[in-house]
Amino acid sequence: MTAPIRVLVCDDQELIRAGFATIIDAQPDMEIVGECGDGRAAVGLAARLRPDVVVMDVRMPVLDGIEATRLLAGAGVPEPVKVLVVTTFNLDEYVYEALRAGASGFLLKDAPPAQLLGGIRTVATGAALLAPEVTRQLVGRYAARIRPADGDPPGGALTPRELEVLRLIAEGLSNSEIAAALVISHETVKTYVSRILTKLDLRDRVQAVVYAYRRGLVT
């Protein structure tokens, strides 16, 4: 039998924390290994328990979810932990920074239980979860405040087709939607995405979106 996905839940609201834990623990392929109410505790528990996925709130006391995510999954972390940020979109202005900090994806707190569980499974496999239906509102909302990075030409290592795919990723399209837009197969899109991540030395789809906005490929 495959080992269950080990999940650590971090949220400063006890009711939400308990609700997440109940939903997750009821799944045959998941188990809750720990709960906590602030980012500092999450970092300590993750180091000790080594969960497969940390479900992380953003606004918390002691240490917020952004800094906790950076310590768990940011650049230079020798053994990064996968972090799924679960946030209240209408109130939260820091999700973009959480993605930059190394989160593997995000969901909204009012997402149905099935979406939360699917998100945990997706992130646990090493894939990124960037909900297409809110990507444009969420990342695009802060695009004007993201200055293109200096250095190499934007996407200089990519072919024109790969640049086209990268822009569509950044606009929030799923692989299936990209395939339909470009009239190519789903498997071909997956190949392009893999090449883009490899060429740009990016970990996942989330980092690809951040890269595209920082390089001014999307406006």
Side-chain angles (χ1 to χ4, degrees):
M1 291 181 62
T2 303
I5 300 169
R6 305 173 74 253
V7 182
L8 170 65
V9 175
C10 182
D11 194 296
D12 66 335
Q13 297 184 53
E14 186 174 353
L15 187 61
I16 290 178
R17 201 164 66 235
F20 284 172
T22 299
I23 293 167
I24 293 166
D25 240 357
Q27 305 307 303
D29 61 337
M30 298 182 190
E31 66 174 337
I32 291 291
V33 296
E35 299 177 41
C36 56
D38 67 76
R40 180 64 64 192
V43 172
L45 282 175
R48 180 163 59 86
L49 301 173
R50 299 305 301 172
D52 297 309
V53 177
V54 177
V55 175
M56 182 80 75
D57 188 18
V58 174
R59 291 184 173 179
M60 294 182 293
V62 185
L63 187 72
D64 66 36
I66 296 171
E67 290 306 315
T69 296
R70 187 171 287 114
L71 293 172
L72 290 172
V77 174
E79 296 182 14
V81 178
K82 298 178 181 70
V83 177
L84 173 61
V85 172
V86 182
T87 184
T88 305
F89 170 66
N90 288 334
L91 300 177
D92 199 327
E93 298 181 356
Y94 306 108
V95 175
Y96 172 77
E97 292 300 329
L99 299 179
R100 284 190 64 193
S104 290
F106 68 85
L107 285 173
L108 307 185
K109 280 189 177 177
D110 61 359
Q115 195 170 351
L116 170 67
L117 297 170
I120 292 171
R121 293 184 181 106
T122 297
V123 169
T125 65
L129 180 76
L130 199 59
E133 68 273 16
V134 295
T135 299
R136 278 185 292 273
Q137 296 105 305
L138 184 61
V139 181
R141 182 176 177 181
Y142 308 109
R145 292 157 49 183
I146 304 168
R147 300 182 64 182
D150 297 327
D152 298 333
L158 304 181
T159 66
R161 190 59 145 180
E162 288 164 351
L163 275 172
E164 193 173 12
V165 171
L166 176 58
R167 289 190 179 98
L168 293 177
I169 291 171
E171 288 174 5
L173 274 66
S174 66
N175 282 1
S176 297
E177 290 169 331
I178 293 172
L182 300 181
V183 196
I184 56 179
S185 72
H186 188 271
E187 288 303 314
T188 299
V189 175
K190 289 176 65 177
T191 299
Y192 277 126
V193 173
S194 178
R195 287 178 185 168
I196 290 166
L197 298 182
T198 299
K199 285 185 175 183
L200 299 180
D201 193 24
L202 303 174
R203 185 190 63 213
D204 54 34
R205 198 182 188 92
V206 171
Q207 289 192 348
V209 172
V210 173
Y211 176 95
Y213 274 92
R214 283 187 56 77
R215 294 285 174 157
L217 296 173
V218 184
T219 57

